[in-house]
Amino acid sequence: MRVLGRAPSGAVADVGFVAQDKPLYRNLTVGETVRMGAWLNPGWDRQAVVDRIERIGITPEQKVGGLSGGQRSQVALAVALGKRPRLLLLDEPVADLDPIARRDFLRTLMAEVAESGVTVVLSSHLLADVEKTCEFLVLLTTPVRRGAEDRRAPGADVHSHVQLADHTETLLAQHRLVTGPRAAAPALTAAHSVVQADYTDRQASLVLRARGPIDERVWTVRPISLEALALAYMSAPEQQETAA
Amino acid sequence: MTRLAWRLARPNILSSVLLLAAVAVFAVLTRQAMTAFMHDSGLDACLAGNGDCGNLMQAFDMRFDTVTTVVKLLNVVPMLIGVFWGGPLIARELEQGTHRLVWTQSHGRGRWLAARLGVHLAGAAAVAAVFTQLMAWWFAPIERIQVEGTVLYGRLDPNVFDFRGIVPVAYAVFAFAVGAAAGALLRRTVPAMAVTLVLYLVTTVLVRVWREHFMAPLRSTYAFGVTDPRAGKGDWVLSHDTVDPTGALTTLAEVPAACRAQADHTATDACLGGLGYQWADTYQPIERFWTFQLIETGIFAGLAATALGFAAWWVVRKLA
């Protein structure tokens, strides 16, 4: 594996990382945490970090342990960005945040991306946020039943495989949510790839990866949200066969 | 990295300084009381005049009984360093996830480990050294106490040896190293502290039992009724036996009844001495104090190096 064209161990200084639980030393103050970043990183951008902290609305004298979850996430992000990484890895960055903190976090992140051009790779289950922030989607699935997955020890070998990997714009352009008469479904599913299909007695609603134009006189064709798209792929790990 | 390690060690350093200050206050006050008592009771003058100071010394020993009991507690200081510095050092980082924070900064985990271990090791050694110096100073008056030619608190005495010289530093470094290794392996602070406590106690007790065999003990025989030729030197006496005229071991209960029936024990001793009865002592001479210190320091330094090496290998190669 190569990271930024180098062996991973050689790229550490250029890669920022925020773990899911946003670890920071709880008994340090915010100011000390910023100084810590300077101690640990030769290319530390002190002013940028101080500015970011100021924008969060906290003072350097506050103890990290006393911050709210959202503030702590913001500080962790500021520290990760302080080393001026070319690649930023975020593991479930907003999973444990309330909606406002989540919005603020992602806003900071997007501003940073626009400003410095840092590449961000983030993992998330929150598809709405992914839709708002991500340009490229990699969908990983594990071919294990959900119950079994929960019981697995953390750190156990997980054989996830990539189910989908493409630019979000491409994905949204290719996929359609299609509803129409069930009787017409076989012809449609033969012409396009079916991601997910639901049938009632008379009605078919399908998520399709369109290979060409869809007859809109027969079918109601709507664009699909990234969330619905990802859900369709995740709930149907195997490509659906044609109508039953 | 080193500056972060210092910052993170600050609570440890502060609490140690406070603890040392409290111990210093105790040492100064009790030492003053002890030297005053020695002076006022005439013990000083008696010791200077080489007289028989037995009664005065016994009085001193009784008066400061509670103070000298503290001596037996001094050995816990290195243990506390191991439990409260070593145990949490790596375990707390793993517990709170901060290792993911520091390991992903520009320097890797090797630098992080070296800095954290280095700072704490230096601190542990310094605390142990200062503490030992303080206790040596405090203990000086007590060291002179003898009862009937027996130095009560000789430097080789198992209760005293442990907090004199350089071994306390080795104990502290060892305890800390065990704590750090246990923390890395167990990844939980409290279990790491408990394991450190147990390992430290077991190791020190074993080495303490082994200590008298570091070097073959010497043997000294002298007749009953004669002053022990090594009286007052402060040797570590391992056994003090009665030998009959043929050289066989015996007990005072088996000596001839004629001698036992004497008016006082001086007469009994003279009687037995006349018959050829002897005392046979095995002992480690006080001159071996530093040799023993070096041997024991070597043992604990070796164990500490092993534990630290294991901790480093485990953290750098094995921890996910």
Side-chain angles (χ1 to χ4, degrees), chain A residues 157-178:
Chain A
D157 237 359
V158 181
H159 296 284
S160 299
H161 68 263
V162 177
Q163 195 173 19
L164 196 62
D166 213 330
H167 291 278
T168 46
E169 276 182 31
T170 314
L171 289 172
L172 292 174
Q174 287 177 344
H175 288 81
R176 288 287 177 270
L177 202 57
V178 180

Short mmCIF file of all heavy atoms in Angstrom, two decimals, chain A residues 157-178:
data_model
loop_
_atom_site.label_atom_id
_atom_site.label_comp_id
_atom_site.label_asym_id
_atom_site.label_seq_id
_atom_site.Cartn_x
_atom_site.Cartn_y
_atom_site.Cartn_z
N ASP A 157 -10.58 -9.54 12.21
CA ASP A 157 -10.42 -9.35 10.78
C ASP A 157 -11.79 -9.21 10.12
O ASP A 157 -12.63 -10.10 10.19
CB ASP A 157 -9.70 -10.56 10.19
CG ASP A 157 -8.45 -10.11 9.46
OD1 ASP A 157 -8.20 -8.89 9.43
OD2 ASP A 157 -7.74 -10.98 8.93
N VAL A 158 -12.02 -8.07 9.51
CA VAL A 158 -13.29 -7.86 8.85
C VAL A 158 -13.04 -7.90 7.34
O VAL A 158 -12.25 -7.13 6.82
CB VAL A 158 -13.88 -6.49 9.24
CG1 VAL A 158 -15.21 -6.30 8.54
CG2 VAL A 158 -14.02 -6.38 10.73
N HIS A 159 -13.69 -8.80 6.70
CA HIS A 159 -13.49 -8.90 5.26
C HIS A 159 -14.56 -8.10 4.53
O HIS A 159 -15.48 -8.66 3.97
CB HIS A 159 -13.50 -10.37 4.83
CG HIS A 159 -12.36 -11.14 5.42
ND1 HIS A 159 -11.08 -11.06 4.95
CD2 HIS A 159 -12.31 -11.99 6.47
CE1 HIS A 159 -10.28 -11.82 5.68
NE2 HIS A 159 -11.01 -12.39 6.61
N SER A 160 -14.40 -6.81 4.60
CA SER A 160 -15.32 -5.96 3.86
C SER A 160 -14.91 -5.97 2.40
O SER A 160 -13.74 -6.13 2.08
CB SER A 160 -15.25 -4.52 4.38
OG SER A 160 -15.62 -4.48 5.72
N HIS A 161 -15.88 -5.81 1.55
CA HIS A 161 -15.47 -5.61 0.17
C HIS A 161 -16.14 -4.36 -0.40
O HIS A 161 -17.16 -3.90 0.09
CB HIS A 161 -15.73 -6.86 -0.69
CG HIS A 161 -17.17 -7.15 -0.90
ND1 HIS A 161 -17.85 -8.06 -0.13
CD2 HIS A 161 -18.05 -6.65 -1.78
CE1 HIS A 161 -19.10 -8.10 -0.53
NE2 HIS A 161 -19.26 -7.26 -1.52
N VAL A 162 -15.46 -3.81 -1.37
CA VAL A 162 -15.95 -2.58 -1.97
C VAL A 162 -17.12 -2.91 -2.88
O VAL A 162 -17.00 -3.68 -3.82
CB VAL A 162 -14.84 -1.89 -2.79
CG1 VAL A 162 -15.38 -0.64 -3.47
CG2 VAL A 162 -13.68 -1.56 -1.89
N GLN A 163 -18.27 -2.35 -2.56
CA GLN A 163 -19.43 -2.64 -3.38
C GLN A 163 -19.65 -1.57 -4.44
O GLN A 163 -20.18 -1.84 -5.50
CB GLN A 163 -20.67 -2.76 -2.50
CG GLN A 163 -21.80 -3.41 -3.27
CD GLN A 163 -22.97 -3.70 -2.40
OE1 GLN A 163 -23.10 -3.13 -1.32
NE2 GLN A 163 -23.83 -4.57 -2.85
N LEU A 164 -19.22 -0.39 -4.10
CA LEU A 164 -19.47 0.72 -4.99
C LEU A 164 -18.35 1.73 -4.78
O LEU A 164 -17.97 1.99 -3.64
CB LEU A 164 -20.81 1.35 -4.59
CG LEU A 164 -21.50 2.29 -5.56
CD1 LEU A 164 -21.85 1.54 -6.84
CD2 LEU A 164 -22.76 2.84 -4.93
N ALA A 165 -17.78 2.25 -5.85
CA ALA A 165 -16.75 3.26 -5.71
C ALA A 165 -16.79 4.16 -6.94
O ALA A 165 -16.42 3.73 -8.02
CB ALA A 165 -15.38 2.62 -5.55
N ASP A 166 -17.30 5.36 -6.73
CA ASP A 166 -17.39 6.26 -7.88
C ASP A 166 -17.64 7.69 -7.39
O ASP A 166 -17.95 7.91 -6.23
CB ASP A 166 -18.52 5.83 -8.82
CG ASP A 166 -18.19 6.13 -10.28
OD1 ASP A 166 -17.45 7.11 -10.53
OD2 ASP A 166 -18.68 5.39 -11.14
N HIS A 167 -17.50 8.61 -8.32
CA HIS A 167 -17.82 9.99 -7.98
C HIS A 167 -19.31 10.09 -7.66
O HIS A 167 -20.14 9.46 -8.32
CB HIS A 167 -17.49 10.92 -9.16
CG HIS A 167 -16.03 11.02 -9.40
ND1 HIS A 167 -15.24 11.87 -8.68
CD2 HIS A 167 -15.21 10.35 -10.26
CE1 HIS A 167 -13.98 11.75 -9.09
NE2 HIS A 167 -13.93 10.82 -10.04
N THR A 168 -19.63 10.87 -6.66
CA THR A 168 -21.04 10.95 -6.26
C THR A 168 -21.88 11.53 -7.40
O THR A 168 -23.00 11.09 -7.63
CB THR A 168 -21.20 11.81 -4.99
OG1 THR A 168 -20.44 12.99 -5.13
CG2 THR A 168 -20.77 11.06 -3.77
N GLU A 169 -21.33 12.49 -8.10
CA GLU A 169 -22.10 13.08 -9.21
C GLU A 169 -22.42 12.04 -10.27
O GLU A 169 -23.54 11.97 -10.78
CB GLU A 169 -21.30 14.22 -9.85
CG GLU A 169 -21.48 15.53 -9.12
CD GLU A 169 -20.70 16.65 -9.80
OE1 GLU A 169 -20.55 16.60 -11.04
OE2 GLU A 169 -20.26 17.56 -9.08
N THR A 170 -21.43 11.22 -10.60
CA THR A 170 -21.65 10.16 -11.58
C THR A 170 -22.73 9.21 -11.08
O THR A 170 -23.64 8.83 -11.83
CB THR A 170 -20.34 9.38 -11.80
OG1 THR A 170 -19.29 10.31 -11.97
CG2 THR A 170 -20.45 8.45 -12.98
N LEU A 171 -22.61 8.83 -9.82
CA LEU A 171 -23.58 7.89 -9.25
C LEU A 171 -24.98 8.46 -9.32
O LEU A 171 -25.93 7.79 -9.73
CB LEU A 171 -23.22 7.57 -7.80
CG LEU A 171 -21.96 6.71 -7.61
CD1 LEU A 171 -21.61 6.64 -6.13
CD2 LEU A 171 -22.18 5.32 -8.19
N LEU A 172 -25.11 9.73 -8.93
CA LEU A 172 -26.44 10.35 -8.92
C LEU A 172 -26.98 10.50 -10.34
O LEU A 172 -28.18 10.40 -10.58
CB LEU A 172 -26.39 11.69 -8.21
CG LEU A 172 -26.12 11.60 -6.70
CD1 LEU A 172 -25.95 12.98 -6.10
CD2 LEU A 172 -27.23 10.83 -6.00
N ALA A 173 -26.07 10.73 -11.27
CA ALA A 173 -26.52 10.88 -12.65
C ALA A 173 -26.97 9.54 -13.25
O ALA A 173 -27.89 9.50 -14.06
CB ALA A 173 -25.37 11.46 -13.50
N GLN A 174 -26.33 8.47 -12.79
CA GLN A 174 -26.65 7.16 -13.38
C GLN A 174 -27.85 6.49 -12.76
O GLN A 174 -28.53 5.70 -13.40
CB GLN A 174 -25.44 6.23 -13.24
CG GLN A 174 -24.29 6.58 -14.16
CD GLN A 174 -23.11 5.67 -13.94
OE1 GLN A 174 -23.03 4.99 -12.92
NE2 GLN A 174 -22.17 5.69 -14.87
N HIS A 175 -28.10 6.78 -11.48
CA HIS A 175 -29.15 6.01 -10.79
C HIS A 175 -30.48 6.73 -10.80
O HIS A 175 -30.52 7.95 -10.72
CB HIS A 175 -28.71 5.71 -9.35
CG HIS A 175 -27.63 4.68 -9.29
ND1 HIS A 175 -26.31 4.99 -9.50
CD2 HIS A 175 -27.67 3.34 -9.07
CE1 HIS A 175 -25.57 3.90 -9.40
NE2 HIS A 175 -26.38 2.88 -9.13
N ARG A 176 -31.51 5.94 -10.87
CA ARG A 176 -32.87 6.50 -10.91
C ARG A 176 -33.78 5.68 -10.03
O ARG A 176 -33.62 4.47 -9.88
CB ARG A 176 -33.41 6.47 -12.35
CG ARG A 176 -32.76 7.49 -13.28
CD ARG A 176 -33.25 8.90 -12.97
NE ARG A 176 -32.61 9.90 -13.79
CZ ARG A 176 -31.47 10.54 -13.47
NH1 ARG A 176 -30.86 10.24 -12.34
NH2 ARG A 176 -30.96 11.45 -14.26
N LEU A 177 -34.76 6.41 -9.48
CA LEU A 177 -35.81 5.74 -8.71
C LEU A 177 -37.01 5.64 -9.66
O LEU A 177 -37.52 6.65 -10.13
CB LEU A 177 -36.15 6.63 -7.52
CG LEU A 177 -36.80 6.03 -6.31
CD1 LEU A 177 -35.98 4.91 -5.74
CD2 LEU A 177 -36.99 7.13 -5.27
N VAL A 178 -37.41 4.42 -9.93
CA VAL A 178 -38.41 4.22 -10.98
C VAL A 178 -39.62 3.47 -10.42
O VAL A 178 -39.45 2.46 -9.75
CB VAL A 178 -37.81 3.39 -12.15
CG1 VAL A 178 -38.84 3.18 -13.25
CG2 VAL A 178 -36.58 4.10 -12.70
#
